[in-house]
Amino acid sequence: MSWDLKKAIGHKFEPYELEITNKDMILYALGIGFQRDPLNEKHFNFTYESADEFQSFPTMNVIIAHRQSGANLTVPGIPAFNPMVLLHGEESLEVFSPIESDTTVLVEDTLVDVQDKGKAFILVYEVKITNKETKELIAKIHQNLFVRAKGGFGHKGTIKNEYPEPPKRAPCASIEEVTTKDQAFLYRLSGDLNPLHVDPQMSAMGGFKVPILHGLCTYGVTAKAVQEKFFPDDPQQLKKFTARFTSHVFPGETLVVEMWKEGKRIILQSKTKERGLVVLKGFVDMKDEAKM
């Protein structure tokens, strides 16, 4: 198949519905590192359905948005490619209302841009999550997938995220988040079943000697660190989280999340303690100005 961007850009995929339960909310929270201390009662708000303030963690939206992402790699007008040459490049989440338990959500996915990188190309998806009954918009997500396959079609794209550089000063906060060697096995139960993250034979096909942690797990762990530092009493303060994945994380590594407060914005980067490698950079926007 040859390139046909008129067919590709704007293509809408088959919508799907998901019923959100307490179990879904708890499993996601455990997957990004909540409740490592079984006596941490603040974590009960995400992991124990009888807690007075039981709620979903805001970045749960991203696992809902990409539940059928594998099926969305076949796009009219784009030549077929091996999914093992795909890397998650960027993720931008805007939250409009919390995910509630015992709610059915409607997920609508559109390919909104294709960007030529010469020896590779980028697919940009926009996903909207709405409450099926009330039609209320819950979240909007933009996902960039970097495909290590030949481009050469010329279109440079129109949708690009801007990333502020970390200020030239010490971080306002630096928090260590330890991942576990089995974390990918737990995280995948929330719906991201890509075998690259658990099967050495599949990870080898993607160029990794051993399985790597899901990028969106790193994303969630980073958001957890920001929430616990800057808005521990109101997790729903998270308005937007935009991040670029700059390298991979091996399960069991420790993430060092460095944060700089700039009014309602937290500029951040996560790096591995063991290798000193920046694996994620981006920013979180709050509804209200963050407190120290």
Side-chain angles (χ1 to χ4, degrees), residues 44-98:
F44 285 2
N45 291 335
F46 309 110
T47 62
Y48 181 39
E49 70 280 1
S50 295
D52 290 341
E53 298 182 26
F54 180 65
Q55 60 192 288
S56 62
F57 193 73
T59 55
M60 182 183 176
N61 283 286
V62 300
I63 200 74
I64 294 172
H66 308 315
R67 186 66 64 90
Q68 293 189 5
S69 58
N72 293 349
L73 298 180
T74 301
V75 185
I78 294 181
F81 58 88
N82 185 341
M84 289 298 109
V85 303
L86 181 152
L87 294 173
H88 198 155
E90 301 180 31
E91 189 83 4
S92 183
L93 163 68
E94 269 189 282
V95 181
F96 299 96
S97 60

Side-chain angles (χ1 to χ4, degrees), residues 51-203:
D52 290 341
E53 298 182 26
F54 180 65
Q55 60 192 288
S56 62
F57 193 73
T59 55
M60 182 183 176
N61 283 286
V62 300
I63 200 74
I64 294 172
H66 308 315
R67 186 66 64 90
Q68 293 189 5
S69 58
N72 293 349
L73 298 180
T74 301
V75 185
I78 294 181
F81 58 88
N82 185 341
M84 289 298 109
V85 303
L86 181 152
L87 294 173
H88 198 155
E90 301 180 31
E91 189 83 4
S92 183
L93 163 68
E94 269 189 282
V95 181
F96 299 96
S97 60
I99 300 170
E100 303 286 352
S101 183
D102 299 320
T103 298
T104 299
V105 298
L106 177 67
V107 185
E108 299 172 287
D109 201 342
T110 305
L111 184 73
V112 293
D113 203 8
V114 184
Q115 303 173 3
D116 187 5
K117 297 296 180 180
K119 295 182 179 180
F121 59 92
I122 292 174
L123 301 174
V124 183
Y125 296 83
E126 180 182 88
V127 186
K128 292 181 180 179
I129 303 173
T130 57
N131 182 305
K132 181 186 176 183
E133 182 178 353
T134 66
K135 312 302 182 186
E136 180 181 18
L137 181 63
I138 295 173
K140 183 164 64 174
I141 298 97
H142 281 94
Q143 178 192 51
N144 288 26
L145 298 182
F146 187 86
V147 184
R148 295 170 292 173
K150 188 175 181 180
F153 49 86
H155 182 70
K156 299 304 180 182
T158 57
I159 300 176
K160 300 180 187 296
N161 293 315
E162 298 293 332
Y163 291 88
E165 289 296 323
K168 302 292 185 181
R169 65 175 193 270
C172 299
S174 180
I175 294 177
E176 292 189 2
E177 294 280 351
V178 180
T179 69
T180 61
K181 289 185 179 295
D182 63 351
Q183 192 154 350
F185 285 89
L186 178 59
Y187 182 82
R188 74 192 301 265
L189 297 180
S190 286
D192 189 340
L193 300 177
N194 188 340
L196 179 144
H197 301 293
V198 294
D199 185 336
Q201 291 184 338
M202 300 303 289
S203 66

Side-chain angles (χ1 to χ4, degrees), residues 172-175 223-232 259 291-292:
C172 299
S174 180
I175 294 177
K224 170 183 176 290
V226 175
Q227 180 266 326
E228 292 192 297
K229 173 60 183 177
F230 288 105
F231 46 106
M259 298 164 269
K291 298 178 180 179
M292 293 294 290

Side-chain angles (χ1 to χ4, degrees), residues 6-44:
K6 290 183 179 180
K7 285 184 178 180
I9 298 175
H11 176 73
K12 295 182 181 297
F13 300 91
E14 188 69 27
Y16 59 93
E17 298 176 3
L18 287 175
E19 183 178 348
I20 307 302
T21 67
N22 289 343
K23 180 180 177 181
D24 297 320
M25 294 159 59
I26 292 169
L27 193 57
Y28 176 76
L30 294 173
I32 61 172
F34 281 104
Q35 216 60 67
R36 296 277 173 78
D37 176 1
L39 299 182
N40 187 331
E41 294 189 7
K42 286 189 175 181
H43 288 190
F44 285 2

Side-chain angles (χ1 to χ4, degrees), residues 214-233:
H214 301 73
L216 286 179
C217 184
T218 301
Y219 182 93
V221 172
T222 299
K224 170 183 176 290
V226 175
Q227 180 266 326
E228 292 192 297
K229 173 60 183 177
F230 288 105
F231 46 106
D233 299 324

